[in-house]
Amino acid sequence: MPLFNNKYHIRMVLAVLTFLCLAGYIHAESFRHPYIGALLEKTNSMWIVKEVNPSGKAAAWRMKPGDRVLTLDGEAAETRLGEKRSPVSLVEISAIGFKGVDGSVTLKSVATDAGDALKNGFAIGMELALLAIGLSAYRKNPNSRLVRQFTAINFVMALTILTLYSTELRLSDFILSLSAIWLPYMLLSFCVSFVIRSVSGRLRNLLRTFRLFCVLFSGYAVYAVAGEQIPGWIREAVHVVFLLALLLVVIAVGVYWRVIDRIEKNQALVLVTGLYFSLLPYVFLYALPDLIRGDALVSPEYALTGLVPLSSTMLYVLRKRSLIDMKLYMPRVLIHSLYFGAVFILFLLASRLPQPFWPALLFLAFLAVTLIYRTSLRWSGRNAGKRKEWLDRQTLKLSIQTAEARNIRDILRMIGEVMDRVMDVTGSCLIWRDGSRLIVHGTGAYASLTPEEGEWLDPGFLQARFDFIHIEPLRMDGENEFEGYLCVGPKRNSSLMGAEEKELIVSMRNEAIRLLINVRSLSGLQQEYQRAKEQNAAFERRVSDMRLERRMLMEAQHAERLRTTYFLHDQLLQNLIFLSRDLEELADRGKAEPKRVETWLKCVYDSQRDIRLLCDDLHPAIADKAGLEEALHWLLRSVEETGIHTTLSYEWGLAEPPDRLLRSNLFRMIRELTNNALKHADATSLEVRVRSHPEEGIHCLVSDNGRGFDPVTLYRDSRFLQEKHIGLISVNAQIEYLGGEMEIQAAPGKGTRVMLKLSAYEREEKHDGKLG
């Protein structure tokens, strides 16, 4: 790739040279003057240690906040530091003497050791990795604006790593402030440009506002660094901006999720997941603890080690423009990453929090996180299994289609090669239409032909455009529509084609038709097999649903039998046993007291009432003796006795009144629905509507203003079969027997509406029996 053939190459070369010069100078200075990590402030004409960075040499010397610095390179600290503004970062010295708060005096020499060399080597390795990733992407596609944007991000991330390990503070502070401010915007802009093809005006204005903020913030940061007065809130502001940029990436992808295609969704998943996982150490170990507690758990140079995997993920997404379905793997990757990240944070907290209470509490948190982790893995496994089955079916379908096309091409190639060898022609061309696909295979002089839809199935077009001397139509027996053509070019010796050669062409045509028809038949059988397989799966689901419905109906019938049995045993049978014992005593004594006779009569009256109630429940006699409207009035009057306001609307528009079977079953279903409202709804009003029309059929509505329920989850819990919704199962069975359907409209807190629809009903004499 020539270096100076356009402006982008020149800019890239200048950027690389500039970075190498800066990196060489800063690393040389950092190697000469190791990082001490002590921040001093002037108090009462004395220089006191204000902060100690745990990653510097001061922490290894056991220097603590409050210690007094006595000498720097053999000079008094007051003389060496002079009138510098407080606070001052301790850099570029070779010896230091300080006095601890306990009065002990310590003299230390500052020299580069193996740890400093390892730290600088680690930084150099990360910088080179980021540069290599960015330049490799640029080398593949230098004309892409997105690739140039990615390369620029890698340069900024490399500059950030360079300045984090630097002890040359003045230049590094300028670079770090600008890099930390602009990196969130660059990441947000890259993600938006990569995932979203057409950015809306609102999102474009948001990016412009963000860019303007970065310009203003950068100007203030440069001013603060030049004046050697860097306020502490700048670091917190950078954290907030970074976290806001990460949040905006997710919001932007979520807003545009429905309008991007499948491949773009996969790329967005990989990009956003890589972004968040790579920056987890920065977010949870540095930014959030620094914002909340004012003390990070790890130093920034370790928290930002995720920039290299982040850059690798972005490069991977740039290179892989057609990814597999990442939804299959992303949930498990997310679960594993969150779990191991949470465990790492818990162990880190356990090492820092005081003993013994906090470690015990963190151990309980570890058990809870592990339990959630295992549960999430099982859930993800079930979903991934379903997703994998779908992918396998799609892969099999695509493989079959590819194999079919390959078989057709192999047949066309075989026929063409045989024609060329046997007849010694300049070439041949076979055209075949397979559904919506047009397959063309040429040999010899026609090997480079490419098909165009429409005209290639017109023999006039073929004859006029090419020098074919013979064209045979390929069509199935009994059909006039051409499926393709066998075209033969002139002979190599320019001689005419004889009768035997023409017969050979016809034979080859017939063989080609036979083979191609066999391929098509095989494809049809495969499609028929697939349809039959899907129909079998649907049938099995229907059978499973029918088994569930039968089981529920059996449960409902069993519950009704149990209710009747308990009623007979606990009331009627007990009354009869009581009467039989007293009558036996009366026969023995020959007389009876008036109070006992009164008790016997009450028992008989109660039994009579219970028998009537049971008979009405099993077969409502009132619906036979009176009309359906009168029976409903009687039913609602009994409901009003419980304090519920009732309303009845009865409109019978059919020519004939409801017959005995229909009347009895409609009354029984409506009564069951009203009983449900009485027992379970806590309603204050109940409405019943009965309407019939010659075209619409019969509609019965029972609605209440009670607490309602969720009909979607009605039968998912087996408790519903044993408790309050058993009546709905019985009503549904009765209306289905009559040829109708039941619709339920309900929601928690919004009441219940049950509609019974009977579009067509045969008269009573056409039924074998009646519902029990």
Side-chain angles (χ1 to χ4, degrees):
M1 180 179 64
L3 292 179
F4 302 103
N5 61 347
N6 62 43
K7 59 181 180 180
Y8 300 124
H9 297 344
I10 297 175
R11 292 176 184 175
M12 189 60 60
V13 171
L14 292 177
V16 172
L17 293 177
T18 302
F19 180 84
L20 292 178
C21 292
L22 287 173
Y25 170 72
I26 291 176
H27 280 299
E29 288 296 313
S30 300
F31 193 77
R32 285 178 53 207
H33 305 289
Y35 181 59
I36 298 175
L39 188 66
L40 310 182
E41 65 177 352
K42 196 171 185 180
T43 305
N44 297 328
S45 302
M46 296 184 298
W47 287 96
I48 307 299
V49 177
K50 181 182 180 181
E51 293 181 11
V52 176
N53 193 310
S55 61
K57 290 186 173 295
W61 299 336
R62 299 185 182 276
M63 184 181 287
K64 299 178 181 178
D67 293 352
R68 177 187 174 186
V69 178
L70 302 176
T71 61
L72 297 174
D73 292 338
E75 297 182 50
E78 293 77 7
T79 304
R80 177 66 181 270
L81 298 176
E83 298 300 325
K84 288 188 175 182
R85 295 181 181 179
S86 177
V88 173
S89 183
L90 199 57
V91 294
E92 297 183 2
I93 61 172
S94 58
I96 180 174
F98 60 92
K99 183 178 181 180
V101 293
D102 57 354
S104 60
V105 177
T106 304
L107 180 64
K108 291 289 184 179
S109 61
V110 183
T112 303
D113 55 18
D116 299 321
L118 182 62
K119 183 183 296 185
N120 276 277
F122 181 70
I124 292 173
M126 290 182 62
E127 296 159 19
L128 292 177
L130 290 170
L131 284 182
I133 293 172
L135 292 176
S136 66
Y138 178 81
R139 181 177 178 273
K140 289 288 184 180
N141 192 4
N143 295 320
S144 171
R145 179 178 177 273
L146 196 65
V147 170
R148 294 196 301 270
Q149 192 176 1
F150 169 72
T151 306
I153 291 175
N154 279 267
F155 271 93
V156 173
M157 290 192 293
L159 286 173
T160 304
I161 298 298
L162 170 65
T163 53
L164 285 176
Y165 286 90
S166 171
T167 57
E168 205 294 321
L169 297 184
R170 189 61 178 267
L171 179 60
S172 298
D173 286 342
F174 277 109
I175 299 175
L176 180 60
S177 59
L178 295 177
S179 301
I181 291 171
W182 282 97
L183 183 57
Y185 168 77
M186 297 177 73
L187 288 173
L188 174 62
S189 178
F190 176 82
C191 293
V192 169
S193 301
F194 183 82
V195 175
I196 304 169
R197 293 180 179 178
S198 178
V199 179
S200 66
R202 292 182 179 179
L203 187 54
R204 191 178 294 108
N205 291 334
L206 176 63
L207 291 175
R208 290 173 180 171
T209 303
F210 202 160
R211 185 166 61 247
L212 177 60
F213 168 78
C214 292
V215 170
L216 298 177
F217 196 8
S218 300
Y220 177 79
V222 169
Y223 170 77
V225 172
E228 298 185 355
Q229 291 294 324
I230 306 177
W233 60 265
I234 287 186
R235 185 176 71 253
E236 285 79 2
V238 170
H239 293 332
V240 173
V241 172
F242 218 116
L243 296 177
L244 179 62
L246 294 178
L247 181 62
L248 289 176
V249 169
V250 176
I251 293 176
V253 172
V255 169
Y256 286 87
W257 185 258
R258 293 185 179 181
V259 300
I260 58 179
D261 60 24
R262 186 179 189 83
I263 293 178
E264 289 172 336
K265 287 180 179 180
N266 293 332
Q267 294 168 347
L269 280 174
V270 177
L271 186 62
V272 174
T273 306
L275 179 67
Y276 271 78
F277 286 167
S278 301
L279 295 178
L280 277 179
Y282 166 78
V283 173
F284 290 103
L285 301 181
Y286 184 67
L288 289 180
D290 193 25
L291 289 172
I292 297 172
R293 302 170 47 204
D295 181 21
L297 297 178
V298 297
S299 57
E301 53 266 26
Y302 298 117
L304 290 176
T305 53
L307 292 180
V308 174
L310 170 61
S311 179
S312 303
T313 302
M314 295 165 70
L315 177 64
Y316 175 77
V317 177
L318 278 174
R319 293 281 181 86
K320 298 291 184 180
R321 300 304 293 182
S322 95
L323 299 173
I324 61 174
D325 192 352
M326 295 305 297
K327 290 182 180 179
L328 182 63
Y329 309 102
M330 203 57 64
R332 296 184 71 84
V333 174
L334 178 63
I335 292 170
H336 289 311
S337 302
L338 290 178
Y339 173 70
F340 290 115
V343 170
F344 176 76
I345 293 175
L346 289 176
F347 277 102
L348 189 62
L349 292 174
S351 65
R352 293 197 168 208
L353 294 176
Q355 308 282 343
F357 172 75
W358 282 107
L361 186 61
L362 292 175
F363 177 73
L364 296 178
F366 168 75
L367 294 179
V369 168
T370 303
L371 178 61
I372 296 173
Y373 168 69
R374 299 296 301 175
T375 304
S376 302
L377 280 183
R378 287 194 293 269
W379 168 82
S380 175
R382 289 192 296 268
N383 290 342
K386 297 177 182 178
R387 192 78 180 177
K388 190 173 185 304
E389 289 178 2
W390 180 85
L391 281 176
D392 291 341
R393 290 195 301 269
Q394 297 301 315
T395 303
L396 178 60
K397 182 178 179 181
L398 181 61
S399 300
I400 292 174
Q401 293 175 352
T402 305
E404 292 172 358
R406 186 176 63 248
N407 290 339
I408 293 175
R409 292 185 183 276
D410 290 342
I411 292 172
L412 297 181
R413 184 177 64 253
M414 179 192 67
I415 299 295
E417 291 175 353
V418 171
M419 294 283 295
D420 288 354
R421 284 196 296 266
V422 174
M423 300 186 61
D424 192 27
V425 294
T426 57
S428 61
C429 179
L430 289 99
I431 305 168
W432 179 256
R433 184 177 62 186
D434 181 43
S436 60
R437 295 178 298 178
L438 188 63
I439 302 176
V440 175
H441 179 76
T443 61
Y446 311 103
S448 60
L449 295 182
T450 56
E452 298 176 6
E453 290 291 341
E455 295 180 340
W456 281 77
L457 291 177
D458 181 10
F461 165 78
L462 297 173
Q463 193 70 46
R465 183 167 181 177
F466 305 104
D467 57 346
F468 297 130
I469 63 172
H470 196 90
I471 298 178
E472 282 287 338
L474 302 177
R475 61 183 177 186
M476 301 175 67
D477 294 338
E479 293 187 3
N480 295 324
E481 184 178 0
F482 295 140
E483 298 292 341
Y485 296 95
L486 171 60
C487 308
V488 182
K491 299 184 68 173
R492 297 183 186 274
N493 57 10
S494 302
S495 61
L496 297 177
M497 190 172 295
E500 293 182 358
E501 292 174 327
K502 291 181 180 180
E503 291 179 1
L504 178 60
I505 293 175
V506 173
S507 299
M508 297 301 296
R509 182 204 66 177
N510 295 335
E511 186 67 19
I513 291 174
R514 187 181 66 80
L515 294 174
L516 292 171
I517 289 176
N518 288 340
V519 172
R520 179 173 293 177
S521 300
L522 178 60
S523 175
L525 290 174
Q526 290 172 340
Q527 294 176 1
E528 186 65 27
Y529 169 75
Q530 188 65 26
R531 284 194 296 268
K533 189 176 180 181
E534 294 174 356
Q535 291 175 357
N536 288 338
F539 176 74
E540 290 177 358
R541 289 192 298 269
R542 178 58 183 164
V543 169
S544 177
D545 294 340
M546 292 175 62
R547 288 174 179 171
L548 178 61
E549 291 175 0
R550 286 199 298 268
R551 184 180 68 85
M552 295 167 63
L553 183 58
M554 290 176 63
E555 291 281 350
Q557 293 174 347
H558 181 65
E560 289 184 354
R561 294 190 185 101
L562 285 178
R563 183 176 59 183
T564 303
T565 301
Y566 289 145
F567 179 81
L568 293 173
H569 180 273
D570 296 343
Q571 296 188 36
L572 293 179
L573 183 60
Q574 297 301 320
N575 289 341
L576 293 176
I577 292 174
F578 170 75
L579 286 173
S580 63
R581 290 177 179 175
D582 280 9
L583 291 175
E584 290 175 357
E585 183 179 354
L586 174 62
D588 294 339
R589 297 174 58 184
K591 63 178 181 178
E593 299 177 356
K595 290 185 178 181
R596 301 197 69 178
V597 173
E598 182 180 352
T599 302
W600 296 342
L601 291 175
K602 183 178 183 303
C603 183
V604 171
Y605 296 152
D606 290 344
S607 299
Q608 292 175 350
R609 182 199 61 200
D610 292 340
I611 291 173
R612 282 195 299 269
L613 290 176
L614 179 60
C615 291
D616 288 338
D617 185 56
L618 295 176
H619 182 75
I622 188 172
D624 288 339
K625 296 178 181 179
L628 178 61
E629 184 177 8
E630 291 77 8
L632 293 177
H633 276 296
W634 171 83
L635 173 65
L636 294 186
R637 280 196 299 270
S638 63
V639 173
E640 284 191 338
E641 293 177 358
T642 63
I644 297 179
H645 175 71
T646 63
T647 303
L648 174 63
S649 175
Y650 187 89
E651 300 177 8
W652 193 266
L654 297 179
E656 299 180 1
D659 60 36
R660 181 175 59 85
L661 179 63
L662 178 61
R663 193 167 58 239
S664 173
N665 284 288
L666 286 179
F667 177 79
R668 180 179 298 173
M669 290 185 288
I670 295 173
R671 184 182 61 183
E672 185 63 46
L673 295 175
T674 57
N675 288 338
N676 274 351
L678 284 174
K679 296 177 183 178
H680 313 299
D682 293 335
T684 59
S685 66
L686 179 70
E687 181 182 7
V688 177
R689 294 182 184 178
V690 178
R691 183 170 60 89
S692 65
H693 191 272
E695 297 180 357
E696 298 178 1
I698 302 172
H699 290 184
C700 300
L701 173 67
V702 178
S703 63
D704 63 70
N705 64 345
R707 58 188 178 186
F709 59 92
D710 186 0
V712 175
T713 59
L714 181 60
Y715 302 124
R716 291 182 182 174
D717 194 339
S718 60
R719 293 177 299 173
F720 287 128
L721 298 178
Q722 303 171 2
E723 297 178 0
K724 56 187 179 182
H725 292 292
I726 201 73
L728 291 176
I729 303 173
S730 177
V731 171
N732 187 58
Q734 293 179 66
I735 194 67
E736 285 185 350
Y737 174 82
L738 296 174
E741 61 180 0
M742 179 176 70
E743 293 182 0
I744 302 176
Q745 298 178 4
K750 297 184 179 180
T752 304
R753 291 169 56 90
V754 181
M755 174 69 77
L756 305 177
K757 294 182 179 180
L758 193 60
S759 58
Y761 174 72
E762 298 180 351
R763 301 298 293 176
E764 173 186 359
E765 54 269 13
K766 294 185 181 181
H767 284 279
D768 295 328
K770 58 188 178 182
L771 294 174

